[in-house]
Amino acid sequence: MKLLNKTALITGGSAGLGYAVVKRFLEEGASVVFTYRSGREKAEAMIKEFEGCNVYGFQADVSKSEEVRALIDFAMEKMGRIDILVNNAGVFDKRKNILELSEDEWDTVMDTNGKSVFLTCKYSIPHMLEQGGGTIVNVASVATWSLNAGGTAYCASKYVCQALTRRIAKDFGRMGIKCNCINPGTMETKLTKASIDNPDDLIHQMADRIAAGRWAQPEEVANLILFLSNSESDFMQGSPVLIDGGWSLL
């Protein structure tokens, strides 16, 4: 098992990619705390599904400092340490340009996709340093390579996520902190199904144009996060890793 006796904190872990990462980490022997913003019943069903594993759900808005501090305290109480942090929580902006985008929408996207990474790293890294090291994987987006993948706020927020990744690797790499990010394209989830099935939607149209000829399954992206979270990737630092089926080649 690649994560035997390791502990992991995964934000946005109750659906889509987050769920796939939780499942994959548990299969590899990790203890996991995952966050969810709403849907307590769904989170409780997940815990029941993985009965026999060390898995805990925590309801939090990870863009709020006080809730992130409570989350870190909870993770430390349940697991005793945080070996791996996966920042997966995120929202989309419906590809709105700067004139279409309201200030409130900008704040929501930037806080959820950018500020949350700042907060979880800020409050997790001290524990990682105290225990001798740790691993951080941030989920950015192909939108840092292709502006067709999002609107003004989404693209900006994912650049923030990628920049934070590189800065953390530079500042703390020699202290035992490994920090990388992934840049996924579209994945087939319940949230994206309507776009994938709609011939008038850009996502539907792009699937036939990219090199892979299809969109990713969440499990495929979760496998990359697993790789970046275990010792096989220990020489990687500050790397923005694409997993987009060739979208960025267009």
Side-chain angles (χ1 to χ4, degrees), residues 172-191:
F172 299 102
R174 292 199 177 190
M175 302 178 195
I177 305 295
K178 178 177 67 174
C179 186
N180 296 288
C181 72
I182 67 166
N183 292 281
T186 297
M187 288 167 273
E188 291 190 23
T189 67
K190 289 181 180 179
L191 290 177

Side-chain angles (χ1 to χ4, degrees), residues 24-86:
R24 196 71 185 89
F25 276 30
L26 292 173
E27 291 171 346
E28 293 294 337
S31 298
V32 173
V33 168
F34 68 91
T35 73
Y36 60 99
R37 190 167 179 174
S38 61
R40 180 183 295 274
E41 291 183 359
K42 185 175 183 179
E44 290 175 349
M46 270 183 68
I47 293 171
K48 186 175 182 180
E49 175 187 353
F50 299 126
E51 188 174 0
C53 299
N54 292 322
V55 57
Y56 311 92
F58 189 87
Q59 187 169 13
D61 179 346
V62 287
S63 70
K64 299 186 181 302
S65 180
E66 65 275 13
E67 296 191 33
V68 172
R69 289 198 298 266
L71 165 66
I72 301 303
D73 289 345
F74 177 83
M76 291 298 295
E77 175 189 346
K78 293 297 184 182
M79 302 188 298
R81 57 189 289 127
I82 300 172
D83 295 309
I84 303 161
L85 168 64
V86 179

Side-chain angles (χ1 to χ4, degrees), residues 49-122:
E49 175 187 353
F50 299 126
E51 188 174 0
C53 299
N54 292 322
V55 57
Y56 311 92
F58 189 87
Q59 187 169 13
D61 179 346
V62 287
S63 70
K64 299 186 181 302
S65 180
E66 65 275 13
E67 296 191 33
V68 172
R69 289 198 298 266
L71 165 66
I72 301 303
D73 289 345
F74 177 83
M76 291 298 295
E77 175 189 346
K78 293 297 184 182
M79 302 188 298
R81 57 189 289 127
I82 300 172
D83 295 309
I84 303 161
L85 168 64
V86 179
N87 278 305
N88 171 67
V91 293
F92 197 54
D93 64 358
K94 299 180 181 178
R95 298 190 189 85
K96 291 186 177 182
N97 66 40
I98 199 167
L99 301 182
E100 299 166 331
L101 194 69
S102 72
E103 187 174 342
D104 285 343
E105 288 172 320
W106 168 269
D107 288 343
T108 296
V109 175
M110 292 300 292
D111 285 352
T112 305
N113 296 357
K115 186 179 179 182
S116 68
V117 177
F118 160 72
L119 289 173
T120 55
C121 290
K122 178 177 177 63

Side-chain angles (χ1 to χ4, degrees), residues 185-186 205-216 244-250:
T186 297
Q205 297 163 8
M206 291 290 288
D208 289 334
R209 296 176 56 196
I210 65 171
R214 65 175 178 86
W215 295 123
D244 65 344
W247 187 333
S248 56
L249 300 175
L250 297 175

Side-chain angles (χ1 to χ4, degrees), residues 10-32:
I10 301 166
T11 69
S14 64
L17 175 60
Y19 171 86
V21 175
V22 171
K23 184 174 186 293
R24 196 71 185 89
F25 276 30
L26 292 173
E27 291 171 346
E28 293 294 337
S31 298
V32 173

